[in-house]
Each structure stands twice: as C-alpha cells, then as structure tokens.
Amino acid sequence: MILAIETSCDETSAAILSNGAVLSNVISSQMIHSQYGGVVPELASRAHLRALEAVTNAALRAAGIEKNEITGVAATSGPGLAGALLVGLMFGKGIACSLGVPFVGVNHLEGHLYSNSLGDAGPEHPFLCLIVSGGHTALVLVRQLFEYQVLGQTRDDAAGEAFDKVAKMLGLGYPGGPLIDKLAQEGNPEAVRFPRSFLEEGSLDFSFSGLKTAVLYHLRDRGLMYPEEEGASIDRGTMADVAASFQEAVVDVLSAKTIEAATRTGTDRITIAGGVSANSLLRSRMQSEAARKGMTLHYPRAEYCMDNAAMIGYVGWLRLKHDRASGLELGVEANLVL
Ligand code: KG4
Ligand code: ZN
C-alpha cells in the first residue's frame, strides 16, 4: 500500500496505490501562476507547503484507508524546481519515518514513462516513449524495467513551453496548451506555413525556439502581438488559423521523429506521455501514423497525462518490489537525468 507524493512543479498531488492499482489520485493545481503567464518557483514551493497535508488526507479518504495501513512512501526527487521538490520529498520522508516504512525517491520522468500502465495494461518491454510536457521533450527507449536509453531531447524549449508561450502571444490564458488545442479546432492548419525544425540529418533531438520566434514575427509584422496588453483583440478566425498552423508544425515534427525512432530501434510499441500527450491532434496523428506502420500506440488516460502522484506511486511500487528503497539521506536533484 503505497502513498505517493508529487510536487516537482505546479501540481500538488498525492495518491494511494494498492499492488500497483490506483485507489486514489488527488491533484491540486496551483492557480496563482496564471497571472504571471508561467510558474514562479518560490510561489510554487509555498503553495505546495500549504496544500500538501490536505491533499494527502484527501487521498487517504478517497482510498478509504487509514494512514497506518501504508506500507511504503514514494516521492519525486527530481527533475523539477528544487524548492518545490524539497517540500514533497521531506514530507514523504517524514511520513515514512513516522510510520517506520520504506521510502523511495522517484525520477519524475520515470513516472511519465509508466503513466500508460495506470488503469490499463501498459505496453510490454521494450517500448518507445515520447515524453512531451511543459518541462521536457524526449524520446526514450525503455529496454526493460529500469533500463532507459534517451534517443533524443529538446535543445531549447520543451513542446509544452512552446504551446504556453504562443498562447501568451495570442492573449490566451495559462497553461496555453489546452487553449490552443481547442481554438485550433476552428482554424485552418495550412493557413500559415511555419518552419519545421528537423535539425541535422538523422538527429532525434528537437528544437522549438525557431518555431516560436516565427510565430512571434508573424504576429508582430501584422500588428497582432500581445493583443490584451494593447487593449485590442485579434479576430477569432485569425487567431484560430495561427493556433492551428502552429500546432500542425509541432505535431508534424513530434510524430515524424517518434516514428523514425521506433523504426530505427525496431520497436513496434509506442507510447506518448506528459501534459502535451493530451493534445487531440498529436493523439490522432500518432494513432494513424502508428497504424500505417503496423505499430501499436498507447497514450495515458487524461488524469495521468498531467503531473500526478499516481505515476510516481506506480514506479515507487515497482522499485520497492525490486528492493530499491532509498536511504533517508536522499536529496532533491533539479536536473536529475534518467
Ligand atoms: O506534464 P505536465 O502537467 O507538467 C510538466 O511536467 O511540465 O505538462 C504541462 C504542459 C503545459 O505546457 C501545457 O500547456 C501542456 O502540458 N498541455 C497541452 C495540452 N494539455 C496540456 N499542450 C497541448 N495540448 C494540450 N491539450
Ligand atoms: Zn511532468
């Protein structure tokens, strides 16, 4: 019976899992950052501190268990915002100590990699995973349990970050990904031909900063930048066309590189994970591309795309099962790698 805690960015989350099955998964999203158009680290740490106990109690209640039934505690140890991570890691260690049960630190990215195994039967090993979130864009080959090979990653912005920044330019709110996804459904994806950055021949890395700048110049040259700051608004059709064209460019690159990585590694099981894996165009494109190549695609249930403690609990459960508990001296690591 695992209690899991996730506080790496702006979601405070606690979950209870019994033998790898999710009994509860409570997520409290910090709204304070929306007025700044991005996550403010110090505000995130403080908000975690305020919310964590109530979120944990809610997870226990929703699972219908008492604290003393917990047999292990998992918490995210990195990567993420150092202060935010510290709050969750220390809280988790404290509970493990007080109950006298094992504690395990979990890599946030490992959580995303296994988010397809929550609630549904996940893929067998080996499988390829495209992690796409606000902080990360990476192609990872999961050879077997705990054995990862990073095949490519972003050299600048993460895909979700690009969605958020373009949404800000368009005067939409934060987080921008879901808003662009929705608005794009009214637009023409071929209205503007934004650049696709494939980098050098054969590279499985990503780059989204050029695309972001192209959107910026497109809007600026037409006097359409930051409409809300000018007290103006762009007409909805134009905004929808820009949103759809931008999204098309991102999805073109993500899907092409993922299929290429699967082909190159001889893997026919593909998964997508992270906040951007909720994107409707990415899902449908990946689905059709995978089917065309005779590959299978898994994507997480909606509640497991965004940052959540259930995915941390799942990996924590796997690690404890395989005698990989952490010592209480474990610290946070903002740049922890797989
Ligand atoms: O995984 P996540 O909750 O947090 C990080 O680890 O970063 O991902 C959040 C990111 C944000 O950038 C958000 O805009 C993006 O995921 N996102 C989306 C969609 N839903 C969330 N991006 C595109 N389309 C969506 N439907
Ligand atoms: Zn994440």
Side-chain angles (χ1 to χ4, degrees):
M1 189 74 78
I2 305 284
L3 163 68
I5 307 287
E6 153 66 37
T7 62
S8 65
C9 192
D10 59 342
E11 255 87 42
T12 312
S13 181
I16 305 288
L17 288 86
S18 170
N19 267 322
V22 183
L23 301 186
S24 66
N25 182 41
V26 178
I27 304 171
S28 166
S29 296
Q30 303 178 355
M31 301 317 293
I32 181 126
H33 308 289
S34 62
Q35 59 191 291
Y36 301 98
V39 179
V40 183
E42 179 59 24
L43 295 180
S45 315
R46 293 181 196 195
H48 285 308
L49 211 48
R50 276 195 300 276
L52 199 44
E53 192 179 358
V55 167
T56 304
N57 287 335
L60 286 165
R61 262 197 317 278
I65 69 156
E66 299 293 328
K67 208 184 261 177
N68 59 16
E69 292 176 65
I70 295 167
T71 57
V73 179
T76 310
S77 62
L81 303 169
L85 287 164
L86 260 177
V87 175
L89 195 81
M90 295 305 157
F91 185 86
K93 281 189 200 174
I95 293 188
C97 256
S98 71
L99 296 173
V101 300
F103 170 79
V104 59
V106 172
N107 183 315
H108 179 83
L109 297 175
E110 228 180 333
H112 278 305
L113 287 177
Y114 282 98
S115 58
N116 282 280
S117 300
L118 299 169
D120 302 295
E124 286 173 20
H125 297 98
F127 65 89
L128 179 80
C129 183
L130 170 71
I131 304 180
V132 259
S133 71
H136 305 275
T137 303
L139 275 166
V140 181
L141 180 64
V142 183
R143 293 184 182 280
Q144 51 178 314
L145 201 55
F146 311 133
E147 202 181 307
Y148 313 108
Q149 182 184 356
V150 179
L151 303 168
Q153 53 197 322
T154 184
R155 294 186 186 169
D156 39 60
D157 291 352
E161 198 180 349
F163 269 95
D164 294 335
K165 287 177 178 167
V166 167
K168 191 174 179 193
M169 293 175 207
L170 289 169
L172 303 170
Y174 175 86
L179 301 167
I180 289 196
D181 191 351
K182 189 151 175 271
L183 183 61
Q185 283 162 24
E186 301 167 26
N188 172 10
E190 285 162 18
V192 190
R193 180 74 194 173
F194 288 124
R196 276 83 172 142
S197 175
F198 284 94
L199 300 168
E200 62 279 2
E201 180 82 30
S203 172
L204 292 173
D205 280 349
F206 299 93
S207 166
F208 294 105
S209 70
L211 170 60
K212 181 190 66 187
T213 309
V215 177
L216 189 143
Y217 288 169
H218 177 86
L219 293 171
R220 192 195 59 188
D221 293 349
R222 288 160 185 76
L224 303 173
M225 266 303 276
Y226 298 121
E228 87 286 14
E229 286 169 21
E230 308 291 331
S233 62
I234 317 176
D235 81 87
R236 196 170 167 91
T238 306
M239 274 174 59
D241 282 351
V242 172
S245 302
F246 159 76
Q247 180 175 268
E248 185 77 13
V250 175
V251 170
D252 272 359
V253 176
L254 290 176
S255 56
K257 294 220 175 203
T258 305
I259 296 293
E260 168 63 20
T263 307
R264 225 189 272 177
T265 53
T267 322
D268 59 6
R269 287 176 289 268
I270 299 178
T271 66
I272 53 177
V276 184
S277 70
N279 183 268
S280 52
L281 181 68
L282 180 64
R283 287 187 172 203
S284 61
R285 178 76 60 82
M286 287 299 309
Q287 190 76 273
S288 57
E289 289 293 300
R292 211 163 54 83
K293 295 275 184 181
M295 298 168 177
T296 55
L297 176 74
H298 290 256
Y299 47 77
R301 293 182 177 194
E303 68 266 39
Y304 304 132
C305 287
M306 65 191 312
D307 288 348
N308 67 87
M311 67 184 193
I312 302 303
Y314 188 82
V315 174
W317 169 68
L318 290 174
R319 288 200 165 265
L320 290 177
K321 238 182 16 166
H322 290 84
D323 292 326
R324 293 184 179 218
S326 309
L328 287 176
E329 72 285 355
L330 180 79
V332 302
E333 217 175 303
N335 299 315
L336 186 64
V337 293
L338 273 172

